[in-house]
Amino acid sequence: MQRLPFSRRDFVRHVSFASLALPGLVTLAGVQACGNSEQKTSEEKEATEATGNRKLGIALVGLGKYSEEQLAPALEETQFCRLAGIVTGTPEKAEKWKKKYNIPDKNVYDYKTFDQIVDNPDIDIVYVVLPNALHAEYTIRAAQAGKHVICEKPMATSAEDCQKMIDACKKAGKKLSIGYRLHFEPHNLEMMRLGQQEVMGKVNKIIAHNGQVQSNETPWRLGKSLSGGGPLPDVGIYALQGAIYTKGAIPISVTAKFHPITDKEKFKEVEEGVDFQLQFADGSLADCKTSYNDKYNQLRAEAAKGWFQLEPAYAYDGLKGETSQGKMDIKNVNQQARQMDAFADCVLNNKETTVSGEMGMRDVQLIEAIYKAAKTGQKVSTKDVIQVLDPVGKQA
């Protein structure tokens, strides 16, 4: 079987061409997207000289599973940022993190003292990793405290809150980024390239599925007040995003249908799952689904002259890609390290992030449209959705 001609060298060239659209990746070549060489590239040396070896301090707001298992370890691998502070309402967690990561007392906050972060020069960026309904409040407070912000997805539980977050950061003159790690992940970057450049012809159909069996380990995810919804804003947003950045277009309308409820106690407040379809202006479609009671993890594009897919597509590691021409020769990377380094590079060099607040708002608007379609059984127009796209695939 012929292997897809996409080597490490091709990937480095790809991200070099895309540097204007994807801040940080050209300077992140030393992270080794597709190799393990410890030798610094010329791009990395130039970036290091430009930043004067300064690492920006990040404070994690919320020390749940994602912060503990993904973000904190990733910050030990980053080049342009570091774990400088924490915000938690649990004293036991604070003590554990202080010892493990050597965090000084002055950089440890709880939710009552959070606003005092304004006086701390050690912290440049606040990363909001709280339940969805709290994203808006702490993003706004972080901006008012003079800090740049990364906010986890979904950006908020309403488009109205998204706009308030964007406005607060603009008023404070601070940058805002959404935690869309897959925009810095090489397999998904390849899906963007193949789809947006129509390497195998026009993309006629996309299949984007992401589901998991949700436990009661994080009960707030099953409560509407803190989550804003069930699997759709949590894991379904990856399928929504994947369809959009593979096609390189925003849908003009959506249809949707909720899955039957099999556990009325568990899913008394949020949906168990939902099938949704995106209709694009050129007549192509994206069939998507998400669930809290089934496992699937796929992003596939069917084009005029072939197909290409990732399975799994959205996991933290172990992603695999294949096309009608053969397997993708791409290695996995630390997605969160790349994501945070890219934003630090934006701050250090005054670049615009490709995963902006406006993109986060776009996805929340689309989620609202999908919910409306599922509740009414009608096709819902998305003409009022903000028109924001990741241009990386077209520039590669």
Side-chain angles (χ1 to χ4, degrees):
M1 178 178 288
Q2 181 182 359
R3 294 175 69 85
L4 187 70
F6 190 74
S7 64
R8 177 185 177 278
R9 181 177 298 175
D10 294 326
F11 180 71
V12 172
R13 183 169 66 249
H14 169 200
V15 297
S16 296
F17 285 141
S19 60
L20 292 177
L22 187 56
L25 269 186
V26 67
T27 61
L28 295 177
V31 177
Q32 298 302 329
C34 299
N36 297 314
S37 171
E38 295 182 358
Q39 183 176 2
K40 288 188 177 182
T41 65
S42 59
E43 292 96 340
E44 183 191 352
K45 289 179 180 178
E46 290 172 5
T48 302
E49 292 170 3
T51 60
N53 291 313
R54 181 189 173 205
K55 284 194 170 187
L56 298 184
I58 291 184
L60 297 178
V61 184
L63 305 183
K65 187 175 180 180
Y66 190 62
S67 286
E68 182 177 15
E69 297 182 2
Q70 302 299 328
L71 295 178
L75 280 163
E76 295 189 298
E77 296 185 28
T78 48
Q79 295 179 28
F80 305 134
C81 49
R82 63 187 179 88
L83 177 58
I86 53 174
V87 182
T88 179
T90 308
E92 293 81 8
K93 282 188 179 181
E95 288 302 315
K96 175 183 174 182
W97 280 64
K98 280 166 54 180
K99 293 177 181 177
K100 184 173 183 178
Y101 295 105
N102 195 28
I103 300 171
D105 287 338
K106 67 184 182 68
N107 292 359
V108 177
Y109 300 87
D110 60 28
Y111 299 109
K112 293 180 180 179
T113 62
F114 173 76
D115 299 307
Q116 296 174 17
I117 207 167
V118 66
D119 298 317
N120 194 332
D122 289 350
I123 296 170
D124 304 282
I125 299 168
V126 166
Y127 198 142
V128 179
V129 205
L130 293 167
N132 306 339
L134 301 177
H135 288 182
E137 176 186 348
Y138 282 89
T139 292
I140 292 169
R141 288 170 66 180
Q144 291 172 341
K147 307 302 179 182
H148 302 282
V149 184
I150 304 173
C151 178
E152 253 313 302
K153 58 80 196 164
M155 182 176 176
T157 54
S158 71
E160 181 181 5
D161 276 351
C162 293
Q163 189 62 61
K164 291 177 181 177
M165 297 159 73
I166 292 169
D167 291 344
C169 290
K170 286 184 177 179
K171 182 177 180 180
K174 297 300 172 182
K175 296 186 182 297
L176 171 61
S177 178
I178 309 304
Y180 288 142
R181 56 189 167 80
L182 295 177
H183 287 251
F184 308 92
E185 193 285 317
H187 294 82
N188 282 272
L189 285 171
E190 175 67 339
M191 291 295 287
M192 293 184 202
R193 184 185 77 88
L194 292 172
Q196 293 181 30
Q197 290 191 7
E198 298 187 346
V199 173
M200 298 183 186
K202 176 190 170 185
V203 174
N204 297 311
K205 183 178 180 180
I206 293 172
I207 299 170
H209 298 165
N210 195 23
Q212 66 185 31
V213 177
Q214 181 63 39
S215 70
N216 291 317
E217 195 174 294
T218 49
W220 68 264
R221 295 188 184 279
L222 298 171
K224 186 73 176 288
S225 63
L226 284 177
S227 66
L232 180 57
D234 184 15
V235 294
I237 196 170
Y238 290 112
L240 174 65
Q241 274 234 324
I244 291 172
Y245 59 62
T246 299
K247 180 65 180 177
I250 296 169
I252 59 172
S253 61
V254 299
T255 54
K257 183 178 181 180
F258 289 125
H259 294 180
I261 298 293
T262 61
D263 186 334
K264 293 184 178 180
E265 179 61 28
K266 186 175 184 179
F267 299 108
K268 62 184 178 182
E269 294 188 30
V270 301
E271 76 277 4
E272 181 173 324
V274 59
D275 295 335
F276 57 100
Q277 187 180 74
L278 314 179
Q279 294 90 32
F280 296 98
D282 66 358
S284 59
L285 302 171
D287 288 329
C288 311
K289 68 176 178 178
T290 186
S291 175
Y292 263 172
N293 199 33
D294 202 359
K295 293 181 179 180
Y296 25 78
N297 198 308
Q298 180 188 34
L299 177 60
R300 178 183 174 92
E302 297 177 357
K305 300 177 183 178
W307 56 266
F308 44 101
Q309 72 171 17
L310 304 180
E311 191 171 3
Y314 319 107
Y316 299 144
D317 197 5
L319 277 63
K320 296 180 181 179
E322 188 175 3
T323 82
S324 51
Q325 298 177 16
K327 293 184 178 180
M328 294 183 188
D329 185 17
I330 304 173
K331 291 186 178 180
N332 284 265
V333 301
N334 189 312
Q335 302 165 12
Q336 289 83 1
R338 280 183 169 272
Q339 170 209 327
M340 290 186 284
D341 261 341
F343 186 61
D345 182 47
C346 288
V347 173
L348 287 165
N349 296 298
N350 196 26
K351 298 178 182 179
E352 294 301 317
T353 174
T354 55
V355 287
S356 63
E358 286 78 7
M359 180 179 285
M361 180 174 172
R362 175 202 75 186
D363 294 338
V364 171
Q365 289 177 318
L366 287 169
I367 287 170
E368 290 177 339
I370 293 166
Y371 275 135
K372 182 178 180 180
K375 290 173 182 176
T376 64
Q378 302 294 315
K379 180 181 289 188
V380 174
S381 170
T382 57
K383 62 181 177 63
D384 295 327
V385 170
I386 190 169
Q387 300 293 297
V388 180
L389 287 169
D390 190 330
V392 171
K394 289 185 178 179
Q395 295 196 19

